[in-house]
Amino acid sequence: MNETKAKPSTGEGWAVHVYDSDRHLRFTLEPSHIWAFGWGIGVGLLVAIIWSALYSASHSFSSDNKHLTDLSPTPETTSREGFRAEPASSFPFGID
């Protein structure tokens, strides 16, 4: 009799096992790890874009410059010892 054999399933998934030189298992990569990493990168980029847009919108001086006055140093600010005027930062927390 001629029987047909069922093909083995190839949709079982995959895993990468990483061993050190002493043949101890160090870590395993599975598809769920890749998905979690991808979601983390995507959410991180989205948060960075939204943060940047909100920061630039809140520090926009193009439409709200009526409250700006003469910003030249006065004798009170220049006579203090140890006073050093810092340039305006373009990024929060002093990171440029």
Side-chain angles (χ1 to χ4, degrees):
M1 294 192 197
N2 197 0
E3 294 182 22
T4 59
K5 292 184 179 180
K7 291 184 180 180
S9 174
T10 57
E12 295 174 1
W14 55 269
V16 177
H17 302 284
V18 179
Y19 295 89
D20 64 3
S21 61
D22 294 329
R23 305 220 6 111
H24 294 123
L25 180 65
R26 288 296 160 199
F27 60 90
T28 301
L29 290 175
E30 296 178 353
S32 62
H33 298 129
I34 303 301
W35 280 106
F37 181 74
W39 276 103
I41 294 292
V43 169
L45 285 173
L46 184 64
V47 167
I49 291 168
I50 291 172
W51 183 329
S52 175
L54 291 175
Y55 180 79
S56 65
S58 67
H59 288 80
S60 165
F61 291 113
S62 62
S63 64
D64 192 19
N65 57 5
K66 64 183 176 186
H67 64 79
L68 294 178
T69 59
D70 182 25
L71 297 178
S72 61
T74 62
E76 293 84 24
T77 59
T78 56
S79 65
R80 286 191 271 168
E81 289 186 30
F83 178 75
R84 199 176 76 197
E86 295 289 330
S89 178
S90 61
F91 194 77
F93 311 117
I95 302 171
D96 274 331

